Amino acid sequence: MQTVIYVSPAGNDQNPGTEDAPFATLTQARQAVRERIAAFTPGAEQDIDIHLAAGTHRLTETLVLDQRDSGSDSFKVTWKGATDGKTVISSGHPLTGWQKLEDE
């Protein structure tokens, strides 16, 4: 058995994290992973895959993963980028409003 959580730059964190209604942020996906792990019944664990859609996933703060986000001997937690495009995780901020200066 396996649980799949979907994240897309075009998603919404109010969504359930499904393929048709993905989360927008990695932070929300991490929270969903923690909730699912906490709800596991011993012996009934299942692998968790987090699928990141193609595009740029912008972080507004550091994404910290710790032991609560890890698997165990009985299940794995795997973060995967899109296979149909380029997946980028970036904490950079787009710069706009640049103007070319005249040569002096």
Side-chain angles (χ1 to χ4, degrees), residues 7-67:
V7 185
S8 170
N12 184 317
D13 280 347
Q14 300 305 310
N15 286 343
T18 62
E19 186 171 13
D20 292 332
F23 293 131
T25 66
L26 278 62
T27 303
Q28 186 62 32
R30 178 193 61 194
Q31 183 59 34
V33 168
R34 290 178 178 178
E35 289 170 4
R36 283 168 175 79
I37 290 172
F40 281 160
T41 302
E45 298 93 343
Q46 46 186 275
D47 292 343
I48 301 173
D49 282 353
I50 302 92
H51 287 243
L52 307 180
T56 300
H57 297 262
R58 298 208 179 274
L59 300 177
T60 58
E61 58 187 24
T62 302
L63 178 68
V64 177
L65 301 173
D66 60 32
Q67 70 278 3

Side-chain angles (χ1 to χ4, degrees), residues 1-3 44-48 74-75:
M1 300 260 329
Q2 179 182 46
T3 296
E45 298 93 343
Q46 46 186 275
D47 292 343
I48 301 173
S74 57
F75 69 95

